[in-house]
Amino acid sequence: ISFGQSLEPLLKTLKDLTGPDTCILCCYEQRTMGKNPEIERKYFELLQMDFELEKIPLDKHDEEYRSEDIHIINIHRKR
């Protein structure tokens, strides 16, 4: 099973395990090779159907570990 095929089960799991007060912190490295950009776009498109996303600005990341290709997103269920 490819990561692209696991998007729907991942999103279902996030919906099943979250409530109105749940905060999810998603941290990921942006990858630009192969199908990665397409899968990333689709994931965030589907995620926004049920969740609100707030990107944490780079200047709020830990100084020692911050990087332009590392993203942190605060995710919570839409009310």
Side-chain angles (χ1 to χ4, degrees):
I1 188 166
S2 73
F3 185 73
Q5 292 172 311
S6 63
L7 286 180
E8 295 285 348
L10 173 60
L11 292 163
K12 181 184 182 323
T13 300
L14 291 176
K15 286 196 298 190
D16 288 348
L17 295 177
T18 56
D21 299 320
T22 306
C23 171
I24 301 168
L25 284 177
C26 174
C27 179
Y28 70 98
E29 180 178 1
Q30 188 169 29
R31 301 178 192 273
T32 58
M33 303 297 290
K35 290 187 174 245
N36 290 316
E38 177 186 335
I39 292 169
E40 180 183 317
R41 181 196 56 75
K42 183 69 171 173
Y43 171 69
F44 286 111
E45 179 183 300
L46 292 171
L47 190 66
Q48 290 180 75
M49 293 173 69
D50 296 293
F51 294 89
E52 298 283 345
L53 282 59
E54 174 194 1
K55 184 169 180 167
I56 307 299
L58 191 61
D59 64 352
K60 300 281 189 196
H61 295 204
D62 184 282
E63 288 182 25
E64 185 175 347
Y65 298 105
R66 76 174 58 147
S67 172
E68 293 286 337
D69 59 348
I70 301 293
H71 303 280
I72 303 174
I73 299 177
N74 183 356
I75 302 168
H76 60 272
R77 292 287 294 266
K78 288 184 176 178
R79 301 219 177 239

Coordinates of all heavy atoms in Angstrom, one line a residue:
I1 N 0.8 -1.2 0.0 CA 0.0 0.0 0.0 C 0.9 1.3 0.0 O 1.8 1.3 0.7 CB -1.0 0.0 1.2 CG1 -2.0 1.1 1.1 CG2 -0.2 0.1 2.5 CD1 -3.1 1.0 2.1
S2 N 0.6 2.2 -0.9 CA 1.4 3.4 -1.0 C 0.8 4.4 0.0 O -0.3 4.3 0.5 CB 1.3 4.0 -2.4 OG 0.1 4.5 -2.6
F3 N 1.6 5.5 0.3 CA 1.2 6.5 1.2 C 0.0 7.2 0.6 O -1.0 7.5 1.4 CB 2.3 7.5 1.5 CG 1.9 8.5 2.5 CD1 1.8 8.2 3.8 CD2 1.5 9.8 2.1 CE1 1.4 9.1 4.8 CE2 1.1 10.8 3.1 CZ 1.0 10.4 4.4
G4 N -0.1 7.4 -0.7 CA -1.3 8.0 -1.3 C -2.6 7.2 -1.0 O -3.6 7.8 -0.8
Q5 N -2.5 5.9 -1.0 CA -3.6 5.0 -0.7 C -4.0 5.1 0.8 O -5.1 4.7 1.2 CB -3.3 3.6 -1.1 CG -3.2 3.4 -2.6 CD -2.7 2.0 -2.9 OE1 -1.8 1.5 -2.3 NE2 -3.4 1.3 -3.8
S6 N -3.1 5.5 1.6 CA -3.4 5.5 3.1 C -3.9 6.9 3.5 O -4.2 7.0 4.7 CB -2.1 5.2 3.9 OG -1.1 6.1 3.6
L7 N -4.1 7.8 2.6 CA -4.6 9.1 3.0 C -6.0 9.0 3.7 O -6.3 9.6 4.7 CB -4.7 10.1 1.8 CG -3.4 10.7 1.4 CD1 -3.6 11.6 0.2 CD2 -2.6 11.3 2.5
E8 N -6.9 8.3 3.0 CA -8.3 8.2 3.5 C -8.3 7.5 4.9 O -9.0 8.1 5.8 CB -9.2 7.4 2.5 CG -9.4 8.2 1.2 CD -10.4 9.3 1.3 OE1 -11.1 9.5 2.3 OE2 -10.4 10.1 0.3
P9 N -7.6 6.4 5.1 CA -7.6 5.8 6.4 C -7.0 6.7 7.5 O -7.5 6.8 8.6 CB -6.8 4.5 6.3 CG -6.9 4.2 4.8 CD -7.0 5.5 4.1
L10 N -6.0 7.5 7.1 CA -5.3 8.4 8.0 C -6.3 9.5 8.4 O -6.5 9.8 9.6 CB -4.1 9.0 7.4 CG -3.4 10.2 8.2 CD1 -3.0 9.7 9.6 CD2 -2.3 10.7 7.4
L11 N -7.0 10.1 7.5 CA -8.0 11.1 7.8 C -9.1 10.6 8.6 O -9.6 11.3 9.5 CB -8.5 11.8 6.5 CG -7.4 12.5 5.7 CD1 -7.8 12.8 4.3 CD2 -7.1 13.8 6.4
K12 N -9.6 9.4 8.3 CA -10.7 8.8 9.1 C -10.2 8.6 10.6 O -10.9 8.9 11.5 CB -11.1 7.4 8.5 CG -12.2 6.8 9.3 CD -12.6 5.4 8.8 CE -13.8 4.8 9.5 NZ -13.9 5.0 11.0
T13 N -9.0 8.1 10.8 CA -8.4 8.0 12.1 C -8.4 9.3 12.8 O -8.7 9.4 14.0 CB -7.0 7.3 12.0 OG1 -7.1 6.0 11.4 CG2 -6.4 7.2 13.4
L14 N -7.9 10.3 12.2 CA -7.8 11.7 12.8 C -9.2 12.1 13.2 O -9.4 12.7 14.3 CB -7.2 12.7 11.9 CG -5.7 12.5 11.6 CD1 -5.2 13.6 10.6 CD2 -4.9 12.6 12.9
K15 N -10.2 11.9 12.4 CA -11.6 12.3 12.7 C -12.1 11.5 13.9 O -12.8 12.0 14.8 CB -12.5 12.2 11.5 CG -12.3 13.3 10.5 CD -13.4 13.4 9.5 CE -13.6 12.2 8.6 NZ -14.6 12.3 7.5
D16 N -11.8 10.2 13.8 CA -12.3 9.3 14.9 C -11.7 9.6 16.3 O -12.4 9.4 17.3 CB -12.1 7.8 14.6 CG -12.9 7.3 13.4 OD1 -13.9 8.0 13.0 OD2 -12.6 6.2 12.9
L17 N -10.5 10.1 16.3 CA -9.8 10.3 17.5 C -9.8 11.7 18.1 O -9.2 12.0 19.1 CB -8.3 9.8 17.4 CG -8.1 8.3 17.1 CD1 -6.7 8.0 16.9 CD2 -8.7 7.5 18.3
T18 N -10.4 12.6 17.3 CA -10.5 14.0 17.8 C -11.9 14.5 18.1 O -12.8 14.0 17.6 CB -9.9 14.9 16.7 OG1 -10.7 14.7 15.5 CG2 -8.4 14.7 16.4
G19 N -11.9 15.4 19.0 CA -13.1 16.1 19.4 C -13.0 17.6 19.2 O -12.0 18.0 18.7
P20 N -14.0 18.3 19.7 CA -14.0 19.8 19.4 C -12.8 20.5 20.1 O -12.5 21.6 19.7 CB -15.3 20.2 20.0 CG -15.8 19.1 20.8 CD -15.2 17.9 20.4
D21 N -12.3 19.9 21.2 CA -11.2 20.6 21.9 C -9.8 19.9 21.7 O -8.8 20.3 22.3 CB -11.5 20.5 23.4 CG -12.8 21.3 23.8 OD1 -13.0 22.4 23.2 OD2 -13.6 20.8 24.6
T22 N -9.7 19.0 20.7 CA -8.5 18.3 20.4 C -7.6 19.2 19.6 O -8.0 19.8 18.6 CB -8.7 17.0 19.7 OG1 -9.6 16.2 20.5 CG2 -7.4 16.3 19.5
C23 N -6.3 19.3 19.9 CA -5.3 20.0 19.1 C -4.3 19.0 18.6 O -3.7 18.2 19.4 CB -4.6 21.0 20.0 SG -3.2 21.8 19.2
I24 N -4.1 19.0 17.3 CA -3.1 18.1 16.7 C -2.0 19.0 16.2 O -2.2 20.0 15.5 CB -3.7 17.4 15.5 CG1 -4.9 16.5 15.8 CG2 -2.6 16.5 14.8 CD1 -5.7 16.0 14.6
L25 N -0.7 18.6 16.5 CA 0.4 19.3 16.0 C 1.0 18.4 14.9 O 1.4 17.3 15.2 CB 1.5 19.6 17.1 CG 1.1 20.8 18.0 CD1 2.2 20.9 19.0 CD2 1.0 22.1 17.2
C26 N 1.0 18.9 13.7 CA 1.6 18.1 12.6 C 2.9 18.7 12.2 O 2.9 19.9 11.9 CB 0.6 18.1 11.4 SG 1.2 17.4 9.9
C27 N 3.9 18.0 12.2 CA 5.3 18.4 11.8 C 5.7 17.5 10.6 O 5.6 16.3 10.7 CB 6.2 18.3 12.9 SG 7.9 18.9 12.5
Y28 N 6.1 18.2 9.5 CA 6.6 17.4 8.4 C 7.6 18.1 7.6 O 7.7 19.3 7.6 CB 5.4 17.0 7.5 CG 4.8 18.2 6.7 CD1 5.2 18.4 5.4 CD2 3.9 19.1 7.3 CE1 4.7 19.5 4.7 CE2 3.4 20.1 6.6 CZ 3.8 20.4 5.3 OH 3.3 21.4 4.6
E29 N 8.4 17.3 6.9 CA 9.4 17.9 6.0 C 8.8 17.9 4.6 O 8.4 16.9 4.1 CB 10.7 17.0 6.0 CG 11.8 17.5 5.1 CD 13.1 16.7 5.2 OE1 13.1 15.7 5.9 OE2 14.0 17.0 4.5
Q30 N 8.8 19.1 4.0 CA 8.3 19.2 2.7 C 9.3 18.5 1.7 O 10.5 18.8 1.7 CB 8.1 20.7 2.3 CG 7.4 20.9 1.0 CD 7.0 22.3 0.8 OE1 7.7 23.2 1.3 NE2 5.9 22.5 0.1
R31 N 8.7 17.6 0.9 CA 9.6 16.9 -0.1 C 9.1 17.3 -1.5 O 7.9 17.4 -1.7 CB 9.5 15.4 0.2 CG 9.9 15.0 1.6 CD 9.8 13.6 1.8 NE 9.9 13.3 3.2 CZ 11.1 13.0 3.9 NH1 12.2 13.1 3.2 NH2 11.2 12.8 5.1
T32 N 10.0 17.4 -2.4 CA 9.7 17.9 -3.7 C 9.9 16.9 -4.8 O 9.7 17.2 -6.0 CB 10.5 19.2 -4.0 OG1 11.9 18.8 -4.0 CG2 10.2 20.3 -3.1
M33 N 10.3 15.7 -4.5 CA 10.6 14.7 -5.5 C 9.4 13.8 -5.8 O 8.6 13.5 -4.9 CB 11.8 13.8 -5.0 CG 13.0 14.6 -4.8 SD 13.7 15.4 -6.2 CE 14.3 14.1 -7.1
G34 N 9.3 13.2 -7.0 CA 8.3 12.2 -7.3 C 6.8 12.7 -7.1 O 6.5 13.8 -7.4
K35 N 6.0 11.8 -6.5 CA 4.6 12.1 -6.2 C 4.4 12.8 -4.9 O 3.3 13.2 -4.6 CB 3.8 10.8 -6.2 CG 3.7 10.1 -7.5 CD 2.8 8.9 -7.4 CE 2.5 8.3 -8.8 NZ 1.2 8.5 -9.2
N36 N 5.4 13.1 -4.2 CA 5.3 13.7 -2.9 C 4.5 15.0 -2.9 O 3.6 15.2 -2.1 CB 6.7 14.0 -2.2 CG 7.3 12.7 -1.8 OD1 6.7 11.8 -1.2 ND2 8.6 12.5 -2.1
P37 N 4.8 16.0 -3.8 CA 4.0 17.2 -3.8 C 2.5 17.0 -4.1 O 1.7 17.6 -3.4 CB 4.6 18.1 -4.9 CG 6.0 17.5 -5.0 CD 5.9 16.1 -4.7
E38 N 2.2 16.1 -4.9 CA 0.8 15.8 -5.3 C 0.1 15.1 -4.1 O -1.0 15.5 -3.8 CB 0.8 14.8 -6.5 CG -0.6 14.3 -6.8 CD -0.5 13.2 -7.9 OE1 0.4 13.2 -8.7 OE2 -1.5 12.4 -8.0
I39 N 0.8 14.2 -3.4 CA 0.2 13.6 -2.2 C 0.0 14.6 -1.1 O -1.1 14.6 -0.4 CB 1.0 12.4 -1.7 CG1 1.0 11.3 -2.8 CG2 0.6 11.9 -0.4 CD1 2.0 10.2 -2.6
E40 N 1.0 15.5 -0.9 CA 0.9 16.5 0.2 C -0.3 17.4 -0.1 O -1.1 17.8 0.8 CB 2.2 17.3 0.2 CG 2.2 18.4 1.2 CD 3.5 19.2 1.2 OE1 4.6 18.6 1.1 OE2 3.4 20.4 1.2
R41 N -0.4 17.9 -1.4 CA -1.5 18.8 -1.8 C -2.9 18.1 -1.5 O -3.8 18.7 -0.9 CB -1.4 19.2 -3.2 CG -2.5 20.1 -3.7 CD -2.6 20.2 -5.2 NE -2.8 18.9 -5.9 CZ -4.0 18.2 -5.9 NH1 -5.0 18.7 -5.3 NH2 -4.1 17.0 -6.5
K42 N -3.0 16.8 -1.9 CA -4.3 16.1 -1.7 C -4.6 15.9 -0.2 O -5.7 16.1 0.2 CB -4.2 14.7 -2.4 CG -5.4 13.9 -2.3 CD -6.5 14.5 -3.1 CE -7.7 13.5 -3.2 NZ -8.8 14.1 -3.9
Y43 N -3.6 15.6 0.6 CA -3.8 15.4 2.0 C -4.3 16.7 2.7 O -5.3 16.6 3.4 CB -2.4 15.0 2.7 CG -2.4 15.0 4.2 CD1 -3.2 14.1 4.9 CD2 -1.8 16.0 4.9 CE1 -3.2 14.1 6.3 CE2 -1.8 16.0 6.3 CZ -2.5 15.1 7.0 OH -2.5 15.1 8.3
F44 N -3.7 17.8 2.4 CA -4.2 19.1 3.0 C -5.5 19.5 2.4 O -6.4 20.1 3.2 CB -3.1 20.2 2.9 CG -2.0 19.9 3.8 CD1 -0.7 19.6 3.4 CD2 -2.2 20.0 5.2 CE1 0.3 19.4 4.2 CE2 -1.2 19.8 6.1 CZ 0.1 19.5 5.6
E45 N -5.8 19.2 1.2 CA -7.1 19.5 0.6 C -8.2 18.7 1.3 O -9.2 19.2 1.7 CB -7.1 19.1 -0.9 CG -8.4 19.3 -1.6 CD -8.3 18.9 -3.1 OE1 -7.4 19.4 -3.8 OE2 -9.0 17.9 -3.5
L46 N -8.0 17.4 1.5 CA -8.9 16.5 2.2 C -9.0 16.9 3.7 O -10.1 16.9 4.3 CB -8.5 15.0 2.1 CG -8.7 14.5 0.7 CD1 -8.0 13.1 0.6 CD2 -10.1 14.4 0.2
L47 N -7.9 17.2 4.3 CA -7.9 17.5 5.7 C -8.7 18.8 6.0 O -9.5 18.8 7.0 CB -6.4 17.8 6.2 CG -6.2 17.9 7.6 CD1 -6.4 16.6 8.4 CD2 -4.7 18.4 7.9
Q48 N -8.7 19.7 5.1 CA -9.4 21.0 5.3 C -11.0 20.8 5.2 O -11.7 21.8 5.5 CB -8.9 22.1 4.4 CG -7.5 22.5 4.8 CD -7.0 23.6 3.9 OE1 -7.4 24.7 4.0 NE2 -6.1 23.2 3.0
M49 N -11.4 19.7 4.8 CA -12.9 19.4 4.7 C -13.4 19.4 6.1 O -14.6 19.8 6.4 CB -13.2 18.2 3.9 CG -12.8 18.3 2.5 SD -13.0 16.7 1.6 CE -14.8 16.5 1.6
D50 N -12.7 18.8 7.1 CA -13.2 18.6 8.4 C -12.3 19.4 9.5 O -12.8 19.4 10.7 CB -13.1 17.2 8.8 CG -14.1 16.4 7.9 OD1 -15.3 16.6 8.1 OD2 -13.6 15.6 7.1
F51 N -11.2 19.9 9.1 CA -10.3 20.5 10.1 C -9.9 21.9 9.7 O -9.8 22.3 8.5 CB -9.0 19.7 10.2 CG -9.2 18.3 10.8 CD1 -9.5 17.3 10.0 CD2 -9.2 18.1 12.2 CE1 -9.8 16.0 10.6 CE2 -9.4 16.9 12.8 CZ -9.7 15.8 11.9
E52 N -9.6 22.8 10.7 CA -9.0 24.1 10.5 C -7.5 23.9 10.6 O -7.0 23.2 11.6 CB -9.5 25.1 11.5 CG -11.0 25.3 11.4 CD -11.4 26.2 10.3 OE1 -10.6 26.9 9.7 OE2 -12.6 26.2 10.0
L53 N -6.7 24.6 9.8 CA -5.3 24.5 9.8 C -4.7 25.9 10.1 O -5.1 26.8 9.5 CB -4.7 24.0 8.5 CG -4.8 22.5 8.2 CD1 -6.2 22.0 8.2 CD2 -4.1 22.2 6.9
E54 N -3.7 25.9 11.0 CA -3.0 27.1 11.3 C -1.5 26.8 11.2 O -0.9 26.1 12.0 CB -3.3 27.6 12.7 CG -2.5 28.8 13.1 CD -2.6 29.1 14.6 OE1 -3.3 28.3 15.4 OE2 -2.0 30.0 15.1
K55 N -0.8 27.4 10.2 CA 0.6 27.2 10.1 C 1.4 28.0 11.2 O 1.1 29.2 11.4 CB 1.1 27.6 8.7 CG 2.5 27.4 8.4 CD 2.9 27.5 7.0 CE 4.3 27.2 6.8 NZ 4.8 27.1 5.5
I56 N 2.3 27.3 11.8 CA 3.1 28.0 12.8 C 4.3 28.6 12.1 O 5.0 28.0 11.4 CB 3.7 27.0 13.9 CG1 2.5 26.1 14.5 CG2 4.5 27.7 14.9 CD1 1.5 26.9 15.2
P57 N 4.4 30.0 12.2 CA 5.5 30.7 11.5 C 6.9 30.2 11.9 O 7.1 29.8 13.0 CB 5.3 32.1 11.9 CG 4.0 32.2 12.7 CD 3.6 30.9 13.1
L58 N 7.8 30.2 10.9 CA 9.1 29.7 11.1 C 9.8 30.4 12.3 O 10.6 29.8 13.1 CB 9.9 30.0 9.8 CG 11.3 29.3 9.8 CD1 11.2 27.8 9.9 CD2 12.0 29.7 8.5
D59 N 9.5 31.7 12.6 CA 10.2 32.4 13.7 C 9.7 31.9 15.0 O 10.3 32.2 16.1 CB 10.1 33.9 13.6 CG 8.7 34.4 13.7 OD1 7.7 33.6 13.7 OD2 8.5 35.6 13.7
K60 N 8.7 31.0 15.1 CA 8.2 30.5 16.3 C 8.8 29.0 16.5 O 8.6 28.5 17.6 CB 6.7 30.4 16.3 CG 6.0 31.7 16.2 CD 5.9 32.4 17.5 CE 5.0 33.6 17.3 NZ 5.2 34.6 18.3
H61 N 9.5 28.5 15.5 CA 10.1 27.2 15.7 C 11.3 27.3 16.5 O 11.9 28.4 16.6 CB 10.5 26.6 14.3 CG 9.4 26.4 13.4 ND1 9.5 25.5 12.3 CD2 8.1 26.9 13.3 CE1 8.3 25.4 11.7 NE2 7.5 26.3 12.2
D62 N 11.7 26.2 17.1 CA 13.0 26.1 17.9 C 14.1 26.6 17.1 O 14.3 26.1 15.9 CB 13.2 24.7 18.4 CG 14.4 24.6 19.3 OD1 15.5 24.6 18.8 OD2 14.2 24.5 20.5
E63 N 14.9 27.5 17.6 CA 16.0 28.1 16.8 C 17.0 27.1 16.3 O 17.6 27.2 15.2 CB 16.8 29.2 17.6 CG 16.0 30.4 17.8 CD 16.7 31.5 18.6 OE1 18.0 31.5 18.6 OE2 16.1 32.3 19.2
E64 N 17.3 26.1 17.2 CA 18.3 25.1 16.8 C 17.8 24.1 15.7 O 18.6 23.7 14.9 CB 18.7 24.3 18.1 CG 19.8 23.3 17.8 CD 20.2 22.6 19.1 OE1 19.8 23.0 20.2 OE2 21.0 21.6 19.0
Y65 N 16.5 23.9 15.6 CA 16.0 22.9 14.7 C 15.2 23.4 13.5 O 14.9 22.7 12.7 CB 15.2 21.9 15.5 CG 15.9 21.1 16.5 CD1 15.8 21.4 17.9 CD2 16.9 20.2 16.2 CE1 16.5 20.8 18.8 CE2 17.6 19.5 17.1 CZ 17.4 19.8 18.5 OH 18.2 19.2 19.4
R66 N 15.0 24.7 13.5 CA 14.2 25.3 12.4 C 14.9 25.1 11.1 O 16.1 25.1 11.0 CB 13.8 26.7 12.7 CG 14.9 27.7 12.5 CD 14.4 29.1 12.6 NE 13.8 29.4 13.9 CZ 13.9 30.5 14.6 NH1 14.5 31.5 14.1 NH2 13.3 30.6 15.8
S67 N 14.0 25.0 10.0 CA 14.5 24.8 8.7 C 13.4 25.2 7.7 O 12.2 25.0 8.0 CB 14.9 23.4 8.4 OG 15.2 23.2 7.1
E68 N 13.8 25.8 6.6 CA 12.8 26.2 5.6 C 11.9 25.1 5.1 O 10.7 25.4 4.7 CB 13.4 26.9 4.4 CG 14.1 28.2 4.8 CD 13.2 29.4 5.0 OE1 12.0 29.3 4.5 OE2 13.6 30.3 5.7
D69 N 12.4 23.9 5.1 CA 11.6 22.8 4.6 C 10.8 22.0 5.6 O 10.2 21.0 5.3 CB 12.4 21.9 3.7 CG 13.6 21.3 4.4 OD1 13.9 21.7 5.5 OD2 14.2 20.4 3.8
I70 N 10.9 22.4 6.9 CA 10.2 21.8 8.0 C 9.0 22.7 8.3 O 9.2 23.9 8.6 CB 11.1 21.6 9.3 CG1 12.3 20.7 8.9 CG2 10.3 21.0 10.4 CD1 12.0 19.3 8.6
H71 N 7.8 22.1 8.4 CA 6.6 22.8 8.6 C 5.9 22.3 9.9 O 5.9 21.0 10.1 CB 5.7 22.8 7.4 CG 6.3 23.3 6.2 ND1 6.4 24.6 5.9 CD2 6.9 22.6 5.2 CE1 7.0 24.7 4.7 NE2 7.3 23.5 4.3
I72 N 5.3 23.1 10.7 CA 4.5 22.7 11.8 C 3.1 23.4 11.6 O 3.0 24.6 11.4 CB 5.2 23.2 13.1 CG1 6.6 22.6 13.3 CG2 4.3 22.7 14.3 CD1 7.3 23.2 14.5
I73 N 2.1 22.5 11.8 CA 0.8 23.0 11.6 C -0.1 22.6 12.8 O 0.0 21.5 13.3 CB 0.2 22.4 10.3 CG1 1.0 22.9 9.1 CG2 -1.3 22.8 10.2 CD1 0.6 22.4 7.8
N74 N -0.8 23.6 13.3 CA -1.8 23.3 14.4 C -3.1 23.0 13.7 O -3.6 23.8 12.9 CB -1.9 24.6 15.3 CG -2.8 24.4 16.4 OD1 -3.5 23.4 16.6 ND2 -2.9 25.4 17.3
I75 N -3.7 21.8 14.0 CA -4.9 21.3 13.4 C -6.0 21.1 14.4 O -5.7 20.5 15.5 CB -4.6 20.0 12.7 CG1 -3.5 20.2 11.6 CG2 -5.9 19.5 12.0 CD1 -3.0 18.9 11.1
H76 N -7.2 21.6 14.2 CA -8.3 21.3 15.1 C -9.6 21.1 14.2 O -9.7 21.6 13.1 CB -8.5 22.3 16.2 CG -8.7 23.7 15.7 ND1 -7.7 24.6 15.4 CD2 -9.9 24.4 15.4 CE1 -8.3 25.7 14.9 NE2 -9.6 25.6 15.0
R77 N -10.5 20.4 14.8 CA -11.8 20.1 14.1 C -12.6 21.4 13.9 O -12.6 22.2 14.7 CB -12.7 19.1 14.9 CG -12.2 17.7 15.1 CD -12.3 16.9 13.8 NE -13.6 16.6 13.4 CZ -14.3 15.5 13.8 NH1 -13.8 14.6 14.5 NH2 -15.6 15.4 13.4
K78 N -13.2 21.4 12.7 CA -14.2 22.5 12.5 C -15.4 22.4 13.4 O -15.8 21.2 13.7 CB -14.6 22.5 11.0 CG -13.6 22.9 10.0 CD -14.1 23.0 8.6 CE -13.1 23.5 7.7 NZ -13.6 23.5 6.3
R79 N -15.9 23.5 13.8 CA -17.1 23.4 14.7 C -18.3 23.4 13.9 O -18.5 23.8 12.9 CB -17.1 24.6 15.6 CG -15.8 24.7 16.5 CD -16.0 25.1 17.9 NE -14.8 25.1 18.6 CZ -14.7 24.3 19.7 NH1 -15.7 23.6 20.1 NH2 -13.6 24.3 20.4

